[in-house]
Amino acid sequence: MQVPHTNSRRPKASKALAAVVALMMAMSVAMLSGCAPSQPAATDEKPVTAAGYMNSMAKSSKQLSESFADFSGAVAEGDVSALQAKVDSAYEVLDQMEALEAPDELKSVKGKYDEAIGTLKGALSDYLAIFLEIENAPEGAQYDFSDYGQRLESVQKAYDQGLNLLEEADKMSTEM
């Protein structure tokens, strides 16, 4: 006779999930930390020059890197409420980056940054959805992990694509 699966087994799977994702996110955070060009700290004033815009983006990129590191920590801990808070924090930084006004000569760079931001927001949202599905599996049932690996791989690819787009935007800015 086979023992039925229960939610009592779910925490073990969630911890394994958290460890795998935390490792992937940590590796990606390392990539992000070198993303924005090194520039002096930005002021809170609205950037009207190319240098002002890029200073603001550099500051925001550093904040984003810190948010992603915090997110990875929440994943490793498996704390859903902390995870949601860290996603919200990362979204705030991404929203700030998206709201920055670029001077005309950097509109194409801003477009690339905005594309990266949209991709990263989607990846964070998708990852959170997977984690919440696992945590909210009905009582007495175990989460169906049959497509989990494929879904997680898709989220990681989107996240990596977002980081690559940030790097492309940075490169575009230095070539102008």
Side-chain angles (χ1 to χ4, degrees):
M1 184 164 114
Q2 193 172 5
V3 176
H5 296 292
T6 65
N7 278 347
S8 64
R9 296 186 58 154
R10 209 170 13 139
K12 189 179 278 185
S14 292
K15 287 182 182 179
L17 155 74
V20 169
V21 173
L23 177 62
M24 289 188 305
M25 295 290 283
M27 291 178 358
S28 298
V29 166
M31 285 178 48
L32 179 62
S33 63
C35 221
S38 289
Q39 303 208 6
T43 66
D44 290 334
E45 296 175 19
K46 181 178 177 182
V48 292
T49 65
Y53 176 76
M54 291 311 301
N55 284 341
S56 294
M57 289 304 289
K59 179 181 176 183
S60 294
S61 289
K62 182 179 180 194
Q63 291 171 336
L64 185 61
S65 179
E66 292 166 2
S67 289
F68 282 160
D70 291 345
F71 175 78
S72 294
V75 168
E77 292 172 11
D79 182 349
V80 177
S81 61
L83 185 63
Q84 179 66 59
K86 301 308 179 188
V87 167
D88 291 346
S89 175
Y91 262 62
E92 286 178 27
V93 175
L94 290 166
D95 287 343
Q96 290 170 5
M97 292 171 80
E98 197 170 36
L100 288 172
E101 292 295 324
D104 289 340
E105 66 265 26
L106 291 178
K107 292 293 184 186
S108 61
V109 173
K110 177 167 176 37
K112 187 61 76 173
Y113 278 125
D114 288 349
E115 183 181 356
I117 290 164
T119 302
L120 289 169
K121 282 181 174 181
L124 286 171
S125 177
D126 291 348
Y127 175 72
L128 184 60
I130 291 170
F131 197 86
L132 289 172
E133 285 174 20
I134 292 169
E135 289 300 310
N136 295 321
E139 192 67 35
Q142 184 174 357
Y143 179 77
D144 178 9
F145 282 93
S146 62
D147 68 344
Y148 166 77
Q150 183 181 14
R151 289 176 66 199
L152 187 60
E153 182 179 332
S154 175
V155 170
Q156 186 63 42
K157 282 182 182 178
Y159 180 80
D160 291 342
Q161 179 186 8
L163 294 178
N164 289 334
L165 289 167
L166 283 177
E167 289 177 6
E168 287 177 30
D170 290 340
K171 185 178 178 188
M172 286 173 64
S173 72
T174 61
E175 293 173 351
M176 298 189 111

